[in-house]
Amino acid sequence: MSGLPRVDIDKPKFDQSTYIGRAKHFFLVTNPLNLFATDEQLQRAREIVTKYRSNQPLPSGITLDEVWKAKYLYDSAHHPETGEKQIIVGRMSAQMPMNTFITAGMMTFYKTTRAVIFWQWFNQTFNAIVNYTNRSGTSPISQSQLLTSYCLATGGALATALSLNRATKNMSPIFGRLVPLVAVAAANCINIPCMRMQELRNGVVLLDEKNKEVGISKKAAMVGISAVVISRISMAIPGMTMTPLLMNKLEKNGFLKKYPRSNAPIQTVFCGFILIFATPLGCAFFSQRAAIKVDRLESEVRDRIKKERPDLDTVWYNKGL
């Protein structure tokens, strides 16, 4: 038996009913330092979590704080529903470094058609990996669905970026620098729903407060996926608006003309600094274990739950990230 206090480590460490609590939680989930964890460290974290869950003896000297650290490290590399080890670039801890590189690239090399095509393709490839990695565990994605959503999102992003580039060609440079943000937003609105089409068709699993399955809902899937789209766009907005404003200022005062090679490094460092905060704060807009009132569900699901569980007025589901 473990002598440590018993807490439910399958729930986040911080109160998820408040934005601050969710922000603290996602600062730990998206910590890019987790990417450097070795297989041995991940295996040790898994063993600590497994033993604590089953109340088995833990290694000598382990504290409750270390159990929580092991849980967040384990969660950073494994799917919350299936326990499957995730592709490293698809993990939430890879969001900040990958988006720093991609965002800086899109905003530095936005003037030529070839550069726009490359960076939008690269971004949508990364997004497809992230969406696949963080999909709902109860709704597997087929290869054809993966390819379709990838092609549609890439095409949507390219069409948006190239058409806006033409439209803003004779405008102030600030408008051209903001084109990548609009393209990213348009692509997210296409990519995420397409990638998770199975959830929209079949629904997501609904759970009660004790994680017992009580039904499957398409309405909950739609609400959850909409929340993910909003979160992803909100994560991109700070870096893709503040960075163009900074670079426009540096261009006007002659700094970039004097030091032309500083363009890409400045954008990369500035984007990285912003994304350290924007990534977890954007994720925190909505709880991953989302709640929905039974009365908001589609009629047949609502009626069945009310008949079988008349005491239940709220159900939960995994909205994904």
Side-chain angles (χ1 to χ4, degrees):
M1 296 283 287
S2 171
L4 292 177
R6 302 304 302 171
V7 296
D8 187 355
I9 61 171
D10 289 317
K11 293 180 180 178
K13 184 179 181 180
F14 305 101
D15 180 10
Q16 296 298 282
S17 66
T18 68
Y19 180 75
I20 296 298
R22 292 194 297 272
K24 289 179 179 179
H25 168 69
F26 281 111
F27 264 106
L28 295 178
V29 169
T30 61
N31 181 0
L33 296 178
N34 289 336
L35 293 173
F36 297 103
T38 63
D39 287 339
E40 290 76 16
Q41 288 173 316
L42 291 174
Q43 182 58 34
R44 183 172 184 270
R46 182 172 193 151
E47 288 174 1
I48 291 173
V49 169
T50 302
K51 288 181 177 179
Y52 184 83
R53 276 178 178 150
S54 57
N55 207 16
Q56 296 176 17
L58 294 170
S60 178
I62 291 288
T63 64
L64 185 58
D65 188 51
E66 287 174 313
V67 172
W68 275 116
K69 286 180 180 177
K71 179 64 166 58
Y72 273 101
L73 180 59
Y74 171 77
D75 285 351
S76 74
H78 297 84
H79 192 279
E81 290 178 310
T82 65
E84 174 189 358
K85 192 173 181 181
Q86 296 174 318
I87 305 165
I88 192 166
V89 295
R91 299 173 189 174
M92 291 309 294
S93 50
Q95 283 284 302
M96 190 281 282
M98 287 299 296
N99 279 325
T100 295
F101 175 68
I102 293 169
T103 304
M106 284 195 293
M107 291 191 299
T108 303
F109 309 104
Y110 66 93
K111 293 183 178 179
T112 68
T113 300
R114 183 178 297 178
V116 169
I117 291 172
F118 172 78
W119 285 105
Q120 290 299 333
W121 164 80
F122 193 95
N123 185 46
Q124 290 315 311
T125 301
F126 171 64
N127 281 343
I129 293 171
V130 172
N131 292 335
Y132 177 79
T133 304
N134 294 283
R135 68 200 182 281
S136 171
T138 56
S139 300
I141 300 174
S142 66
Q143 290 185 347
S144 61
Q145 183 184 343
L146 187 67
L147 182 62
T148 300
S149 61
Y150 173 65
C151 292
L152 286 173
T154 304
L158 285 174
T160 303
L162 293 174
S163 59
L164 286 177
N165 263 3
R166 284 195 295 271
T168 60
K169 205 167 188 178
N170 298 320
M171 297 183 185
S172 168
I174 187 64
F175 292 105
R177 293 184 189 276
L178 290 171
V179 166
L181 172 61
V182 182
V184 165
N188 273 324
C189 291
I190 299 169
N191 196 343
I192 297 171
C194 286
M195 189 68 71
R196 297 174 62 178
M197 186 58 69
Q198 288 295 98
E199 295 170 54
L200 293 172
R201 287 175 179 166
N202 303 327
V204 292
V205 172
L206 302 174
L207 306 169
D208 64 11
E209 66 278 2
K210 295 180 180 178
N211 288 331
K212 181 182 177 182
E213 184 175 337
V214 294
I216 295 177
S217 171
K218 297 177 185 178
K219 176 72 175 293
M222 184 178 67
V223 173
I225 290 170
S226 299
V228 171
V229 171
I230 293 170
S231 288
R232 294 283 183 86
I233 294 174
S234 68
M235 285 161 55
I237 286 174
M240 299 187 86
T241 53
M242 294 173 69
T243 305
L245 291 173
L246 171 67
M247 301 313 293
N248 201 52
K249 179 74 174 175
L250 294 177
E251 191 171 52
K252 283 184 176 179
N253 65 22
F255 182 88
L256 292 182
K257 189 174 182 179
K258 189 175 180 181
Y259 304 103
R261 292 185 178 180
S262 68
N263 190 352
I266 289 174
Q267 296 203 65
T268 302
V269 171
F270 191 65
C271 279
F273 176 75
I274 292 174
L275 285 168
I276 288 174
F277 301 97
T279 301
L281 294 178
C283 287
F285 280 134
F286 306 96
S287 177
Q288 186 172 358
R289 188 176 188 265
I292 186 170
K293 292 289 185 183
V294 172
D295 287 337
R296 289 187 62 196
L297 299 171
E298 51 268 56
S299 58
E300 63 273 17
V301 180
R302 180 189 65 223
D303 294 342
R304 186 168 63 251
I305 292 176
K306 285 193 171 185
K307 181 179 179 180
E308 297 174 357
R309 296 285 301 274
D311 58 313
L312 202 60
D313 68 343
T314 302
V315 290
W316 289 265
Y317 62 96
N318 176 31
K319 74 163 180 63
L321 287 172

